[in-house]
Amino acid sequence: MADEDECCGVNENLIRSPGYRRALLIVVILNVVYGVIELFGGFLANSQALKADALDFLGDGSITFLGLLAIGWSLVWRARSALIQGVFLGLLGFWVIVSTILKAMNDTPVEAGLMGLFAVVALVINVVAVLPLLPYRDGDANMRAVWLFSRNDAIGNVAVIVAAGLVALTSTRWPDLIVAFLIAALFLHSAWTIIQHAIRDLHTANASLADPLSIKTAIE
């Protein structure tokens, strides 16, 4: 019989610890606040990559809030929450691809200086947000989803900074559009990873529930 504090290979005490709740709350606040600021910056700089990165911030904050709510749920419901996160991230990736294709049809210039400035601040914000999550990145599907969202933000920030420099050097908007596509691809890859982990946790939880000796542990 599994230990009371560990169901289906998942450390329940770690998931429900005050430290994890604080880490999630920090991520929610930082991502939502700066996501709004960066989205405004994306329109100011006319940068598609900056807008995509801002959507990543807002999506991260929203889905991390769902993860915060899911802490007290059973493994089955946490896995379902992660599944929603994965689907949401995938839809976000497809939206960025479509909007970037439409944006490529016009020749409006990108303000490389503003683009780079907002991206640098975004990277600093993400590093601050990711550090509290490091001890919790290998938990259940829900915890892994939160970690992947935050990791994506940091990778996207670096890519936007590089794109801003290339926009300034080439005097074209193509680096901005290419990075927007790359961020969308990162969304889709992480969405697939999250969905796979969520399905695996659902199967594990269902197998545990099918075992009479594990029912009590699985639902606590």
Side-chain angles (χ1 to χ4, degrees):
M1 181 175 179
D3 187 87
E4 284 186 1
D5 297 329
E6 191 159 332
C7 170
C8 316
V10 175
N11 189 328
E12 296 292 325
N13 272 349
L14 184 65
I15 293 170
R16 299 176 185 181
S17 67
Y20 183 50
R21 291 178 186 272
R22 283 194 299 270
L24 290 184
L25 189 58
I26 290 170
V27 171
V28 170
I29 293 172
L30 289 176
N31 279 276
V32 171
V33 172
Y34 194 73
V36 173
I37 294 172
E38 191 179 31
L39 188 60
F40 178 70
F43 282 102
L44 279 179
N46 195 33
S47 167
Q48 193 67 12
L50 209 56
K51 292 175 187 175
D53 195 48
L55 288 177
D56 195 12
F57 265 99
L58 293 172
D60 193 3
S62 301
I63 295 303
T64 302
F65 181 67
L66 178 59
L68 183 59
L69 295 178
I71 286 177
W73 300 349
S74 67
L75 179 63
V76 172
W77 281 101
R78 290 199 306 270
R80 290 171 180 168
S81 169
L83 195 59
I84 292 172
Q85 293 171 353
V87 171
F88 176 83
L89 186 57
L91 291 174
L92 198 60
F94 281 118
W95 186 89
V96 170
I97 288 173
V98 172
S99 62
T100 301
I101 291 173
L102 294 175
K103 199 72 175 178
M105 296 178 182
N106 64 66
D107 296 323
T108 51
V110 177
E111 295 291 337
L114 278 177
M115 180 183 173
L117 175 62
F118 278 101
V120 168
V121 176
L123 181 60
V124 173
I125 295 293
N126 261 318
V127 170
V128 173
V130 165
L131 289 178
L133 288 174
L134 285 174
Y136 310 102
R137 64 186 183 278
D138 295 320
D140 64 359
N142 199 64
M143 296 174 86
R144 286 189 293 270
V146 171
W147 165 253
L148 284 173
F149 267 88
S150 298
R151 186 205 65 182
N152 283 357
D153 280 347
I155 295 173
N157 299 151
V158 174
V160 175
I161 293 170
V162 172
L166 291 175
V167 167
L169 286 173
T170 63
S171 298
T172 69
R173 66 170 305 137
W174 285 108
D176 175 61
L177 297 176
I178 290 170
V179 167
F181 280 122
L182 290 176
I183 292 175
L186 187 62
F187 287 174
L188 295 176
H189 178 267
S190 293
W192 178 242
T193 301
I194 291 168
I195 289 170
Q196 283 183 310
H197 283 308
I199 291 173
R200 187 182 68 187
D201 279 2
L202 281 171
H203 287 164
T204 302
N206 288 335
S208 177
L209 287 170
D211 180 359
L213 294 178
S214 303
I215 292 177
K216 180 177 180 294
T217 303
I219 63 176
E220 288 179 347

